[in-house]
Amino acid sequence: MSALTYRRAGLVTRDQTRGLSLSMVIFIGAVGVGFLLVALLIVAMDGFDGPEARSVWENSAYATRYYPLALGIMLTPVYLALGVANGVTRRAFSLGAMGTVVVIAAIMAVFEAVGYALENGLYQLAGLTQELTTPHLFDSGTQVWISVPEVGITVAGNVAAGLLIGTTYYRWGRLWPTIALPLTFAPALAVEALMSVGWPGGLMIDLWGIERRPLWLVIPTSLLVIALTFAATHVLVRTTAVHPQA
Amino acid sequence: MTLGIDVQGLTVRYGDVTAIDDLSVSLAGGKIYGLLGRNGSGKTTLMSSIAAFMRVEHGQVLVGGQQPYENPAITEQVYLIRESGDFADQESVRGQLRRTKRFRPQWDGEFAERLLELFQVPDRRTVSRLSRGQRSALGITLGLAARAPVTMLDESYLGMDAPTRYAFYDILLEDYMQHPRTFIISTHLIEEVSRLFEEVVILDRGRLIAHEETETLRMKGAAVTGPASVVERFTDGMTVLSERRLGGTKSVTVLGEMGERQRDVAQAHGLELEPVGLQDLFVHLTKEGPA
Amino acid sequence: MFDERSPIYHQIAEAIKNDILSGELQAEDQVMSTNQYAAHFRINPATAAKGFQQLVDEGVLYKKRGIGMFVSPGARAALLEQRRQRFFADVVEPMVAEARVIGIPLDDVVERITAMKGSENV
């Protein structure tokens, strides 16, 4: 691949992240404020009983996973025609969209990790211990060096699956991509199950008693799943025609 | 830099509909081409193939001697403005300018501002809230200011009112003369724009009907009117495009330039020879009928 | 400005010739550039250039490199001579033919011309 392709892929990532930035800011603001309100409400209602308090922030994980998933689904349907119309090759578009996935995942990872760390600090101030109820790679909200990659990889798995799903819909319409959803959404579930985090991780542990494998195995395997998802998307995008206008 | 376009044996099918049927046409770089054809004649499909919106599966399309599909050096130089434009509808007009600037190496920002002002496009407005005419104007603004060596406008100015269209014709000519490049302009408004075209390409049902210098083509049609029997004798052996009869008088539209000799013959027999406008010629050439 | 009867470049050449004949364009006057002409009349510059080239070929205009095109010194005289030669073929002969068709005796035509000559203030 030529340097030109990489340069234009970089432009695609910048264009897409710029396009998504406003809705991301609104989303982050809404989640941040929302969870602060929920926390205050719980404290005002009956407070926490005992020194151990459930993490409220943990519930935000669903929002920071599935909203980016939705963004991922949008990418090809919204941006492929824009890219090609502006003289971007599909190869550059696909690489650029992967860049966008990584950027979204990184933003969400930092956002989540800051949330965990903040909550941990607030609980400590109140003399409480932050109790995590879903499985995580980290034990305490203060371990940002673990929470950032954990959330980052999880979100990346979801957005990458979203990108693949969106691409299949753009290419084949409604019927077959819907039938293929269990397959195209599988990478997102696989990443979480592999890392034993979130509800898919919970299922693995509680239902089937499968414990987490060592991190040196789990993280590269998860990254491999994401890479394969990217590869599948790339192959599809390379041969996808831009829809004619009605 | 100007880029030529060479199409050889191009065939494009959508399911069992043949949009382009074994089309070969060669366009030298640096000219303004008019691409004419009825709805569904394959104009958009041809331009989509040149702009790498789709893969060429049968035949060959070359831009500057290279295949455009997945070829960044070429796609960067080729810009197709489609009828409804390719915009992010939820973004502002300014956002569209920012995007095109990002991807088009020859982008001229000042020219874009001038065009927005000329066409009175509100630059802060969300694209989805633009009127049809403003949408067209935005597409043309992006298309011209990008200065792509191959710029294709697919019915891009249909939504614009007549004064705005004339403003567009003027600015198109002005910018073309300052920055010569290849333009392909598809249109229904033949009478209005044909004088801007150096050459005209006419498609019908996916086939090439004509590719000529505009002025040569304009002179190709003639209407011969006079007594029916005389007209019939005169037009015998000519390509007859249409016939009309009123009592003993007959009017026949023929294809082919009238030479000095034929004019003399017509005059001697009391026949009236009249030129046929490009629009009428186009209508005759692409009339429905058995292929 | 232009009609469909002949190619535009032909009509451009004719228009400039008329300007030279009427004296609007004098010998050694610079004519509009191809681009100015194209922009002014909203026509393709290559088409306009063809009209000018025709005039250069006929010797009506001449080019000064890098400056532009100018009316040749003998252009007006040459054009007048051309028109004079064409006058009988283009104007007089069709008039006579028409007069015959509609039954006006040629003597009447001559008489009328003579009368017009008498009213001329020369």
Side-chain angles (χ1 to χ4, degrees), chain A residues 2 4-5 7-8 11-12 14-15 18-19 79 81-82 84-91 237-246, chain B residues 14 51-55 69-73 75-76 78-80 82-88 91 96 98-100 102-105:
Chain A
S2 65
L4 181 57
T5 295
R7 205 177 70 229
R8 291 185 69 84
L11 295 179
V12 169
R14 275 161 63 185
D15 181 53
R18 167 109 204 200
Y79 284 97
L82 283 181
V84 172
N86 278 290
V88 173
T89 58
R90 287 153 185 78
R91 183 188 275 140
V237 166
R238 289 294 309 280
T239 52
T240 297
V242 172
H243 292 183
Q245 289 180 332
Chain B
Y14 300 110
F53 276 54
M54 55 202 287
R55 217 164 17 147
Y69 193 82
E70 289 298 82
N71 184 343
T75 54
E76 201 176 62
V78 179
Y79 197 1
L80 166 59
R82 300 199 284 177
E83 190 178 336
S84 327
D86 280 289
F87 311 125
E91 293 176 9
Q96 316 309 305
R98 196 185 306 118
R99 170 169 303 111
T100 312
R102 223 190 266 286
F103 291 114
R104 294 295 173 180

Side-chain angles (χ1 to χ4, degrees), chain A residues 11-173:
Chain A
L11 295 179
V12 169
T13 301
R14 275 161 63 185
D15 181 53
Q16 292 179 351
T17 46
R18 167 109 204 200
L20 299 175
S21 59
L22 180 64
S23 59
M24 294 255 282
V25 166
I26 292 172
F27 168 78
I28 285 174
V31 170
V33 171
F35 276 85
L36 195 66
L37 286 179
V38 170
L40 288 176
L41 207 66
I42 291 171
V43 174
M45 295 269 281
D46 50 12
F48 294 100
D49 42 349
E52 293 221 329
R54 287 174 154 221
S55 166
V56 175
W57 183 243
E58 230 181 352
N59 297 297
S60 72
Y62 295 105
T64 54
R65 215 165 282 182
Y66 298 125
Y67 175 74
L69 171 75
L71 293 184
I73 292 174
M74 270 175 47
L75 283 178
T76 300
V78 172
Y79 284 97
L80 180 64
L82 283 181
V84 172
N86 278 290
V88 173
T89 58
R90 287 153 185 78
R91 183 188 275 140
F93 170 83
S94 170
L95 293 174
M98 290 172 200
T100 305
V101 171
V102 172
V103 171
I104 293 175
I107 291 170
M108 290 301 152
V110 171
F111 177 49
E112 279 286 281
V114 166
Y116 280 118
L118 258 180
E119 188 185 60
N120 190 287
L122 286 175
Y123 281 16
Q124 270 185 13
L125 278 181
L128 299 166
T129 314
Q130 179 189 32
E131 188 199 343
L132 303 168
T133 49
T134 52
H136 289 281
L137 299 184
F138 56 91
D139 308 313
S140 152
T142 54
Q143 295 168 309
V144 288
W145 60 93
I146 307 180
S147 56
V148 167
E150 179 197 304
V151 179
I153 293 172
T154 312
V155 174
N158 279 278
V159 193
L163 177 61
L164 176 62
I165 291 167
T167 304
T168 58
Y169 273 94
Y170 185 77
R171 177 154 180 165
W172 284 299

Side-chain angles (χ1 to χ4, degrees), chain A residues 170-188:
Chain A
Y170 185 77
R171 177 154 180 165
W172 284 299
R174 280 194 210 142
L175 181 63
W176 292 107
T178 306
I179 291 170
L181 263 182
L183 188 69
T184 46
F185 187 55

Side-chain angles (χ1 to χ4, degrees), chain A residues 152-234:
Chain A
I153 293 172
T154 312
V155 174
N158 279 278
V159 193
L163 177 61
L164 176 62
I165 291 167
T167 304
T168 58
Y169 273 94
Y170 185 77
R171 177 154 180 165
W172 284 299
R174 280 194 210 142
L175 181 63
W176 292 107
T178 306
I179 291 170
L181 263 182
L183 188 69
T184 46
F185 187 55
L189 299 176
V191 166
E192 293 182 50
L194 275 168
M195 298 213 300
S196 307
V197 297
W199 64 264
L203 275 184
M204 294 281 286
I205 297 165
D206 300 341
L207 229 56
W208 297 306
I210 302 170
E211 288 302 318
R212 176 178 297 137
R213 304 291 165 210
L215 284 188
W216 62 262
L217 183 65
V218 157
I219 289 181
T221 324
S222 303
L223 291 176
L224 181 69
V225 170
I226 294 172
L228 287 173
T229 313
F230 279 155
T233 306
H234 194 69

